[in-house]
């Protein structure tokens, strides 16, 4: 697999834009068919290249990317605002953590072994539909112009703005990779949500703890709310959480990560022309009610690769209509304050078997299971919200549609 391309190079098969989870996962799937020629365009080192990220998901049994998993947990825990703890083993599911640098190395090595794949370090500026497919105009790392011509282009780059929506919350967070002076963590248990932190006016806030060793962990402060915080505000929240709530004692912050994930009922277009498609978060793969994306990206990648093998170019919806409808109701109920976020999630994990709830959050539950889960939520506020949604306009502003409670 070549690592660079000269000006005028042409890729007459598939071009994948972006070397994150979505772009690399799709390229990996496509190269399983040696007849498919794939070019992956990744940003060169510099400001356009994202910092290292953490991706988490749950899966039964060993997965295809097991070599990129840096830690996993068989037991998961949720802590209520009052300190009530819900802990369970969601067997056969296991919660897994992948770091982006390790994932990239793994997929790059697999692509290098394939005769029909290449990786280009370049900045993509323009994607145009053409009579023969699509054209991508780029600039290489050494500032040369480069034009790629392809039958199909799959674009995983972040979209500019959010499509029209009724509700828009942001999942925003900052995490510390910490090392404590003495063992403070149970490496077998991950804390998905710890609500023993101050709550924002709209949405909710929680701590998130992924132990890596008895004295090492990723500790995050996360909010579902309308506006991100400043870095000093996240730092203050993390100091409060690690010192006053977790009581970790002396610790060293070895590195940090920070991010923002839109949680919205917006409809993300998966096609922008006859030969140009959007994938990953840009194509709606992020689950609106949770912010999880990695597992949906894998489903989407498998479906796209299967369609191309059968002569069709399409990106199917990463989430079902029922799941999206339920997520829209939940987001609206959280944003209006009709439901208390910490109590809602704590009660849900307490009343529903964790394995079933995780399958529901991953889109793998049956209609009957979803009905049962719905009965374990605050039925009155949720029904009122569901009745309201069809009458709310979708807006392209950055704020949710306002209403009385």
């Amino acid at each position: 697999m070549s690592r660079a391309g000269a000006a005028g190079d042409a890729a007459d098969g598939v071009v994948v834009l972006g070397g994150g989870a979505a772009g690399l996962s799709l390229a990996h799937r496509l190269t399983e068919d040696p007849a498919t020629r794939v070019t992956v365009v990744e940003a060169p080192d510099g400001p356009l290249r994202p910092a290292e990220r953490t991706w988490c998901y749950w899966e039964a049994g060993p997965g295809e990317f097991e070599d990129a998993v840096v830690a996993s947990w068989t037991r998961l825990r949720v802590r209520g605002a009052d300190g009530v703890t819900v802990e369970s083993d969601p067997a056969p599911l296991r919660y897994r953590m992948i770091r982006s640098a390790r994932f990239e190395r793994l997929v790059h090595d697999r692509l290098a072994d394939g005769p029909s794949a290449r990786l280009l370090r370049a900045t993509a500026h323009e994607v145009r539909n053409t009579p023969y497919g699509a054209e991508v105009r780029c600039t290489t790392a050494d500032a040369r112009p480069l034009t790629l011509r392809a039958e199909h282009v799959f674009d995983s780059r972040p979209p500019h703005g959010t499509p029209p929506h009724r509700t828009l919350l942001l999942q925003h967070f900052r995490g510390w990779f910490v090392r404590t002076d003495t063992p403070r963590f149970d490496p077998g248990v991950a804390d998905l949500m710890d609500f023993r932190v101050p709550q924002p006016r709209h949405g909710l806030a929680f701590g998130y703890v992924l132990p890596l060793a008895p004295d090492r962990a990723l500790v995050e402060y996360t909010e579902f709310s309308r506006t991100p915080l400043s870095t000093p505000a996240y730092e203050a929240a993390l100091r409060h959480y690690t010192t006053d709530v977790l009581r970790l004692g002396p610790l060293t912050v070895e590195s940090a990560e920070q991010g923002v994930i839109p949680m919205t009922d917006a409809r993300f277009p998966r096609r922008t022309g006859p030969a140009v498609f959007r994938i990953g978060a840009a194509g709606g793969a992020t689950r609106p009610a949770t912010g999880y994306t990695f597992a949906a990206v894998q489903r989407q990648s498998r479906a796209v690769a299967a369609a191309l093998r059968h002569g069709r170019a399409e990106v199917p919806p990463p989430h079902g209509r029922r799941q999206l409808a339920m997520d829209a109701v939940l987001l609206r109920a959280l944003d209006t304050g009709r439901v208390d976020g910490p109590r809602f999630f704590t009660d849900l994990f307490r009343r529903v078997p964790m394995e079933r709830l995780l399958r529901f959050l991953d889109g793998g539950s049956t209609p009957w299971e979803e009905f049962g889960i719905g009965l374990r939520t605050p039925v009155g506020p949720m029904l009122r919200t569901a009745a309201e949604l069809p009458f709310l306009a979708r807006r392209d502003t950055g704020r949710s549609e306002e209403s009385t409670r």
Side-chain angles (χ1 to χ4, degrees), residues 259-310:
V260 179
I261 303 169
M263 303 174 67
T264 178
D265 62 357
R267 297 167 180 166
F268 288 84
R270 300 187 305 279
R271 192 167 195 159
T272 59
V276 181
F277 304 84
R278 301 287 278 172
I279 59 171
T286 299
R287 182 72 190 259
T290 66
Y292 283 100
T293 306
F294 190 84
V297 159
Q298 304 314 313
R299 291 195 300 270
Q300 192 178 66
S301 299
R302 286 191 293 267
V304 170
L308 283 176
R309 283 196 295 271
H310 290 87

Side-chain angles (χ1 to χ4, degrees), residues 76-205:
L76 303 177
R77 183 164 54 202
V78 173
R79 296 180 185 269
D82 56 1
V84 172
T85 299
V86 180
E87 183 178 323
S88 180
D89 178 354
L93 301 177
R94 178 187 286 261
Y95 197 60
R96 289 168 163 85
M97 170 183 173
I98 283 179
R99 294 283 281 162
S100 60
R102 191 163 173 173
F103 178 80
E104 289 170 7
R105 288 194 298 271
L106 174 66
V107 178
H108 286 177
D109 289 344
R110 291 180 179 179
L111 295 180
D113 291 337
S116 59
R118 63 173 178 169
L119 176 66
L120 299 177
R121 286 295 182 90
T123 303
H125 302 293
E126 182 183 8
V127 183
R128 299 193 310 159
N129 288 279
T130 64
Y132 53 78
E135 185 175 273
V136 182
R137 295 183 178 180
C138 311
T139 301
T140 64
D142 56 359
R144 290 179 297 156
L146 170 68
T147 298
L148 299 173
R149 298 173 178 85
E151 296 177 17
H152 310 293
V153 173
F154 294 91
D155 191 350
S156 69
R157 296 172 300 167
H160 299 291
T162 304
H165 54 270
R166 294 166 300 195
T167 307
L168 172 61
L169 289 176
L170 302 176
Q171 180 179 157
H172 51 99
F173 58 90
R174 183 171 176 84
W176 287 345
F177 284 87
V178 303
R179 183 183 296 273
T180 55
D181 283 4
T182 58
R184 294 289 185 179
F185 304 106
D186 179 352
V189 183
D191 283 289
L192 290 184
M193 289 179 159
D194 184 347
F195 292 109
R196 297 174 297 167
V197 296
Q199 296 298 310
R201 182 184 173 198
H202 291 278
L204 61 119

Side-chain angles (χ1 to χ4, degrees), residues 198-256:
Q199 296 298 310
R201 182 184 173 198
H202 291 278
L204 61 119
F206 57 90
Y208 178 58
V209 182
L210 300 182
L212 306 175
D215 61 344
R216 293 173 50 244
L218 169 60
V219 181
E220 286 188 357
Y221 172 81
T222 301
E223 282 192 15
F224 295 178
S225 61
R226 294 180 176 181
T227 308
L229 305 180
S230 65
T231 297
Y234 289 119
E235 292 280 298
L238 279 165
R239 283 194 296 272
H240 166 73
Y241 183 54
T242 56
T243 301
D244 301 328
V245 178
L246 297 180
R247 300 183 183 276
L248 296 182
L251 59 82
T252 301
V253 179
E254 298 184 323
S255 62

